[in-house]
Amino acid sequence: AQSVTQPDIHITVSEGASLELRCNYSYGATPYLFWYVQSPGQGLQLLLKYFSGDTLVQGIKGFEAEFKRSQSSFNLRKPSVHWSDAAEYFCAVGGPGQKVTFGTGTKLQVIP
Amino acid sequence: GAVVSQHPSWVICKSGTSVKIECRSLDFQATTMFWYRQFPKQSLMLMATSNEGSKATYEQGVEKDKFLINHASLTLSTLTVTSAHPEDSSFYICSAKEAGVDNEQFFGPGTRLTVL
């Protein structure tokens, strides 16, 4: 069965610092991978996705993620965090015609 | 971009009553819609997948008679929580998938249900 692990429940970074959110997945074939962001009381917004091709994926708001098949990882990065990035981030995995499974989320706190 | 709306955004109801939540794709046709439930500080749990014009497919452990899903058109799906109880209080989020676009889901803003 497919699954996603986000090992960090809560991360605190200073504004302007770099960010990396970890995501490990389990999937039987080449996965489709996603990162979503959720602000309090809101739905989810897609930051970026990987279906195939270049393993370094650029997304919105200055985020990027790298698919590493050997490590079954799809970590999300941002070189300089802004206070408005404070939110909850979900990694998700799916496949062609398959349902999408979400990780448990990482809550990001940004301090001045 | 593709927009999905939900109505209402927040509903409070008495125990034993039924509540209907609407999910609409505003600028695209959604052949498939998904309903998720999110408990506080937890991830999204898929409840069911609905395809336009056919019965919804429920995930294991989800009571289909409790959570009625209807997807009567390419732009509208409804979730009815029947005989709601306090334990049904949660954040319900729908998503919709465009025909022909594999596995990209667009999420609604969610509906917070509080059952007294």
Side-chain angles (χ1 to χ4, degrees):
Chain A
Q2 62 195 54
S3 66
V4 177
T5 301
Q6 292 181 248
D8 303 306
I9 297 173
H10 189 235
I11 282 184
T12 300
V13 299
S14 298
E15 190 169 15
S18 64
L19 172 71
E20 182 169 29
L21 301 182
R22 295 183 290 166
C23 171
N24 291 96
Y25 68 89
S26 175
Y27 191 77
T30 300
Y32 290 179
L33 294 159
F34 310 83
W35 273 100
Y36 290 89
V37 60
Q38 184 182 32
S39 297
Q42 302 294 313
L44 275 69
Q45 180 182 23
L46 180 67
L47 286 176
L48 47 80
K49 63 180 186 270
Y50 170 79
F51 282 5
S52 65
D54 193 347
T55 56
L56 184 61
V57 181
Q58 301 297 321
I60 62 172
K61 303 184 179 184
F63 286 93
E64 67 176 27
E66 187 170 11
F67 170 54
K68 293 185 177 179
R69 185 190 301 275
S70 61
Q71 298 176 19
S72 298
S73 70
F74 190 57
N75 295 347
L76 181 72
R77 301 192 294 251
K78 186 170 184 177
S80 178
V81 171
H82 188 262
W83 63 266
S84 60
D85 293 324
E88 186 135 23
Y89 292 79
F90 291 95
C91 181
V93 66
Q98 300 298 312
K99 67 180 182 182
V100 175
T101 299
F102 288 84
T104 50
T106 297
K107 187 170 185 177
L108 173 65
Q109 182 180 7
V110 181
I111 55 177
Chain B
V3 178
V4 175
S5 70
Q6 280 185 243
H7 177 79
S9 57
W10 194 358
V11 57
I12 301 173
C13 69
K14 292 182 178 179
S15 186
T17 61
S18 295
V19 174
K20 180 183 285 188
I21 302 170
E22 293 186 347
C23 176
R24 292 181 185 273
S25 57
L26 298 185
D27 51 3
F28 67 98
Q29 294 187 325
T31 53
T32 305
M33 287 184 167
F34 304 88
W35 286 96
Y36 295 86
R37 184 173 179 177
Q38 186 179 31
F39 292 99
K41 301 183 180 180
Q42 295 188 28
S43 187
L44 282 74
M45 300 300 295
L46 180 65
M47 299 174 65
T49 303
S50 76
N51 292 294
E52 185 266 337
S54 62
K55 290 184 178 180
T57 302
Y58 290 80
E59 294 298 302
Q60 191 172 9
V62 178
E63 301 174 61
K64 60 182 180 182
D65 295 330
K66 171 80 172 173
F67 299 98
L68 301 178
I69 292 172
N70 183 276
H71 191 168
S73 78
L74 285 171
T75 59
L76 173 65
S77 176
T78 60
L79 166 68
T80 301
V81 183
T82 62
S83 186
H85 288 92
E87 57 265 30
D88 299 323
S89 298
S90 191
F91 194 54
Y92 292 88
I93 302 177
C94 75
S95 69
K97 193 161 75 73
E98 289 186 89
V101 179
D102 200 10
N103 252 350
E104 178 156 8
Q105 300 178 42
F106 299 97
F107 285 82
T111 296
R112 182 161 303 284
L113 170 63
T114 301
V115 185
L116 303 176

